[in-house]
């Protein structure tokens, strides 16, 4: 496994590999790799000759300096994981090399970046697309793997690739769930056992709503109410401080993320709730 620090060297190496006829699978990450990342890497390993993982904690997507400070940085463990999964290139740039100072340029996202997750994290998606656009520029023509767990991020990046004509094929990777249905996330580690029980209501709400839609329900309001009720149902018997506090439970179009008038075709159900001080998100396609 080749570890590269310099953006120019990473760009040259990707170009060189392509000239040798190799296909490249890029897995952008901020490190602290977990099973969800393993899934992305395994899929890239199956589909591409070369797997490149970037590990870079991108300051531009944090609206809170404390969160940036606290973000887990466990590079040695990450490198063990990437090596065990047969990754070829690990790109670990320094912040000043990735974002030369002073920072004069960044991308903006229109309304897609202001709704759902963007509503509670102003500027977050502008920071994400700015770094992802840089990674795409460096990696060049490749497949890039993103988890469906961050569904809004996936939708925004897919739209960016289309609109900016990046030579990148976006590969969405399905959510990994534990036996109870809970979507895997590094944030789950911050939940105690009571809160974990409470967190399961997010996926239960999604599954109940998905069943209702498959059973013929087309009314968006009824489905959204059903999800909100399911999230509330789980609070019985759980201490008040662990109750999920619903942020949103919505039916949206998979591309535009707009709420449809009625459910007539494929939709995405998206939920966000806070359990204790941990904000959780989940979604499902129907
Ligand atoms: O999903 C993430 O880990 C980050 O948002 C990404 C795509 C690596 C950009 O920093």
């Amino acid at each position: 496994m080749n570890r590269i620090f310099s953006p120019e060297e990473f760009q040259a190496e990707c170009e060189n590999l392509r000239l040798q006829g190799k296909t490249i699978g890029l897995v952008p990450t901020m490190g602290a790799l977990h099973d969800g990342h393993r899934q992305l890497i395994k899929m890239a390993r199956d589909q591409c000759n070369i797997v490149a993982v970037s590990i870079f904690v991108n300051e531009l997507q944090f609206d809170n300096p404390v969160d940036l400070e606290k973000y887990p940085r466990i590079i040695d463990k990450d490198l063990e994981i990437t090596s065990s999964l047969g990754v070829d290139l690990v790109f670990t740039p320094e912040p000043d090399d990735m974002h030369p100072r002073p920072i004069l340029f960044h991308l903006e996202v229109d309304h897609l970046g202001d709704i759902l997750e963007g509503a509670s994290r102003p500027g977050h998606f502008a920071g994400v697309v700015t770094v992802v656009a840089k990674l795409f520029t460096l990696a060049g023509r490749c497949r890039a793997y993103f988890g469906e767990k961050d569904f809004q991020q996936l939708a925004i990046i897919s739209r960016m690739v289309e609109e900016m004509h990046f030579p990148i094929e976006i590969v969405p990777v399905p959510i990994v769930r534990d036996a109870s249905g809970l979507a895997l996330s590094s944030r789950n580690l911050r939940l105690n056992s009571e809160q974990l029980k409470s967190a399961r209501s997010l996926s239960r709400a999604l599954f109940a709503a998905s069943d209702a839609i498959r059973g013929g329900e087309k009314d968006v309001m009824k489905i959204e109410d059903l999800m909100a009720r399911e999230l509330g149902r789980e609070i019985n018997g759980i201490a008040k401080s662990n109750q999920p506090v619903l942020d949103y439970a919505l039916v949206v179009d998979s591309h535009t993320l707009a709420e449809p008038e009625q459910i007539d075709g494929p939709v995405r159900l998206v939920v966000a709730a806070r359990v204790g001080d941990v904000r959780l998100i989940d979604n499902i396609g129907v």
Side-chain angles (χ1 to χ4, degrees):
M1 189 172 73
N2 184 7
R3 179 174 178 186
I4 299 178
F5 293 86
S6 137
E8 290 69 31
E9 206 184 305
F10 179 60
Q11 190 170 42
E13 183 60 13
C14 291
E15 187 60 36
N16 180 31
L17 288 161
R18 257 189 312 276
L19 287 172
Q20 292 171 33
K22 310 274 191 210
T23 57
I24 298 174
L26 174 70
V27 183
T29 81
M30 296 208 297
L33 303 180
H34 54 70
D35 282 353
H37 295 113
R38 283 180 208 266
Q39 199 68 13
L40 305 183
I41 295 171
K42 281 183 187 156
M43 198 179 268
R45 185 66 290 162
D46 284 351
Q47 298 181 350
C48 307
N49 303 128
I50 298 292
V51 178
V53 174
S54 62
I55 299 178
F56 179 66
V57 181
N58 172 38
E59 68 199 83
L60 303 185
Q61 66 191 79
F62 288 82
D63 47 358
N64 178 344
V66 180
D67 286 351
L68 173 63
E69 179 81 16
K70 275 197 190 157
Y71 197 85
R73 290 164 174 87
I74 43 172
I75 188 69
D76 291 344
K77 188 149 183 286
D78 288 343
L79 293 175
E80 269 172 36
I81 294 174
T82 50
S83 162
S84 72
L85 292 171
V87 169
D88 304 283
L89 296 180
V90 182
F91 176 45
T92 56
E94 290 299 326
D96 287 3
D97 292 335
M98 199 60 184
H99 302 308
R101 315 294 147 147
I103 300 173
L104 300 181
F105 294 91
H106 69 266
L107 295 183
E108 292 286 349
V109 189
D110 214 328
H111 67 283
L112 268 190
D114 297 332
I115 54 175
L116 305 174
E117 290 308 289
S120 53
R121 300 173 77 182
H124 169 69
F125 287 111
V128 170
V129 292
T130 299
V131 80
V132 170
K134 292 185 187 194
L135 290 169
F136 287 172
T137 303
L138 296 175
R141 184 174 295 279
C142 67
R143 290 197 175 118
Y145 294 77
F146 291 91
E148 288 187 339
K149 169 93 184 349
D150 293 310
F151 191 73
Q152 187 175 8
Q153 170 172 282
L154 175 62
I156 289 174
I157 291 171
S158 302
R159 175 68 192 167
M160 174 178 78
V161 164
E162 191 189 332
E163 206 170 312
M164 310 286 280
H165 307 284
F166 280 111
I168 308 286
E169 182 190 337
I170 299 293
V171 185
V173 181
I175 293 175
V176 185
R177 298 182 181 280
D178 72 9
S180 75
L182 179 69
L184 296 194
S185 160
S186 40
R187 293 182 181 204
N188 298 350
L189 297 173
R190 291 166 50 198
L191 300 171
N192 63 31
S193 57
E194 289 287 273
Q195 291 172 330
L196 267 176
K197 272 191 221 159
S198 184
R200 289 180 190 130
S201 58
L202 272 82
S203 56
R204 258 180 246 170
L206 292 173
F207 295 145
S210 157
D211 286 348
I213 294 172
R214 287 178 209 282
E217 184 57 71
K218 288 176 180 291
D219 189 314
V220 172
M221 288 290 277
K222 281 192 183 151
I223 293 296
E224 293 179 348
D225 281 352
L226 171 70
M227 289 194 282
R229 273 202 316 276
E230 279 294 322
L231 269 152
R233 198 171 64 81
E234 278 301 301
I235 64 182
N236 296 330
I238 294 174
K240 214 171 186 323
S241 61
N242 292 327
Q243 289 177 3
V245 179
L246 180 65
D247 183 351
Y248 57 77
L250 296 171
V251 179
V252 298
D253 177 277
S254 301
H255 300 290
T256 63
L257 303 181
E259 269 180 284
E261 303 243 309
Q262 188 169 270
I263 304 169
D264 292 320
V267 288
R268 204 86 195 175
L269 309 179
V270 291
V271 292
R274 208 161 30 76
V275 177
D277 64 354
V278 183
R279 193 161 183 286
L280 299 172
I281 54 171
D282 199 354
N283 69 82
I284 195 171
V286 192

